[in-house]
Amino acid sequence: SANRTVTGEQSKKTMKKQIIERGGSIVEEINRIPLDTDALLLSDEYTLSSTYMMAMSRGMPCLSHMWLVEC
């Protein structure tokens, strides 16, 4: 039905699909990204997780997941 609730996992799958369709790639571990690579972190919330903190320490833009929807 049109009023179906989208779970977080479904939303994550949709976002991954959109990133790949637009020529991007998904990396699960930030330390695998070379420092000279253009990369950004998409998150549904601001957190103090090790991933978020590592992205910030590398100067990587940390954007809301809504950026993907709006661009």
Side-chain angles (χ1 to χ4, degrees):
S1 91
N3 294 327
R4 183 177 62 159
T5 302
V6 176
T7 66
E9 196 58 36
Q10 288 171 322
S11 177
K12 194 181 266 190
K13 285 180 183 178
T14 299
M15 287 177 55
K16 286 181 177 183
K17 181 180 176 196
Q18 289 175 339
I19 290 167
I20 292 168
E21 286 175 348
R22 296 175 184 179
S25 59
I26 311 294
V27 178
E28 298 294 335
E29 297 179 36
I30 287 180
N31 60 350
R32 293 182 181 249
I33 302 171
L35 292 175
D36 61 346
T37 301
D38 288 332
L40 55 91
L41 174 79
L42 291 179
S43 179
D44 61 346
E45 63 183 356
Y46 171 78
T47 66
L48 295 177
S49 69
S50 59
T51 301
Y52 205 97
M53 298 303 286
M54 188 179 296
M56 289 190 338
S57 72
R58 292 172 143 231
M60 189 180 293
C62 299
L63 305 175
S64 166
H65 67 290
M66 293 306 296
W67 176 83
L68 182 62
V69 173
E70 294 175 7
C71 287

